[in-house]
Amino acid sequence: MVKVEKIRDEDREAWECLYLAYADFYQFPISAGVLNAVWSWIFDERRSFYCVVARNEAGEVIGFAHYKAILSPLRGTEVGFLDDLYVDPRHRGKGAVDALFAELKQACRKNGWPSMRWHTRDNNYRARSVYDKYATKTDWLTYNLDATDDA
């Protein structure tokens, strides 16, 4: 049975291993400074940034989800935004994703968010096949304005 709960201080090493694997999947280098920053956000009460972890029957952290509140001006309310979701490949197909999405839905209800949205890479077919079970794919495209580019 998979259990999902708020991350704890003692989960740092397990979270870090999973987060680095997640970043590696997306070929996104992560420095110690980034790891420290994200870890601090999770426990900063002034931020609406959260992390829940999935634990297997032995209590090991096998997955995580980072999410936050964002303002939705067209709706006039906050909604949830799922930044990152990852399950250790050795534990996929055993209920971790189901448990994480159930927790995310509860977080929406608890916070009064009408929805949770997220992005994924177009070619992330495995994740997309899972996401299609839980959510409706929108027709919105994502753009990224690079503030460091002089062009």
Side-chain angles (χ1 to χ4, degrees):
M1 179 85 183
V2 175
K3 179 181 175 184
V4 175
E5 61 187 20
K6 189 175 176 180
I7 196 166
R8 301 185 300 235
D9 284 329
E10 58 268 23
D11 296 326
R12 170 75 189 246
E13 186 177 336
W15 167 84
E16 194 169 298
C17 288
L18 290 171
Y19 195 46
L20 288 169
Y22 171 81
D24 187 57
F25 172 79
Y26 282 112
Q27 299 175 355
F28 206 95
I30 297 289
S31 68
V34 169
L35 287 170
N36 290 333
V38 175
W39 186 254
S40 73
W41 297 346
I42 292 168
F43 296 99
D44 185 343
E45 296 292 326
R46 297 167 297 166
R47 295 184 185 271
S48 296
F49 185 80
Y50 312 97
C51 180
V52 291
V53 293
R55 296 182 189 279
N56 63 12
E57 290 177 353
E60 300 166 315
V61 175
I62 60 170
F64 71 89
H66 294 147
Y67 64 98
K68 64 188 172 200
I70 61 171
L71 298 174
S72 179
L74 289 174
R75 290 170 185 78
T77 190
E78 287 184 335
V79 299
F81 188 85
L82 175 61
D83 278 299
D84 312 303
L85 185 141
Y86 185 78
V87 173
D88 183 324
R90 298 170 296 170
H91 297 278
R92 291 180 183 165
K94 299 176 184 175
V97 168
D98 297 326
L100 285 165
F101 273 110
E103 181 65 26
L104 292 169
K105 190 173 253 191
Q106 286 299 336
C108 285
R109 292 176 178 150
K110 176 184 157 203
N111 289 293
W113 303 334
S115 62
M116 176 86 58
R117 54 174 85 151
W118 63 90
H119 309 287
T120 194
R121 283 228 172 114
D122 188 54
N123 67 351
N124 192 356
Y125 302 114
R126 180 181 175 107
R128 288 178 55 194
S129 71
V130 172
Y131 298 159
D132 287 344
K133 292 187 224 175
Y134 297 97
T136 303
K137 181 183 171 294
T138 70
D139 58 357
W140 294 91
L141 299 175
T142 301
Y143 290 84
N144 191 60
L145 176 66
D146 188 347
T148 62
D149 186 6
D150 290 334

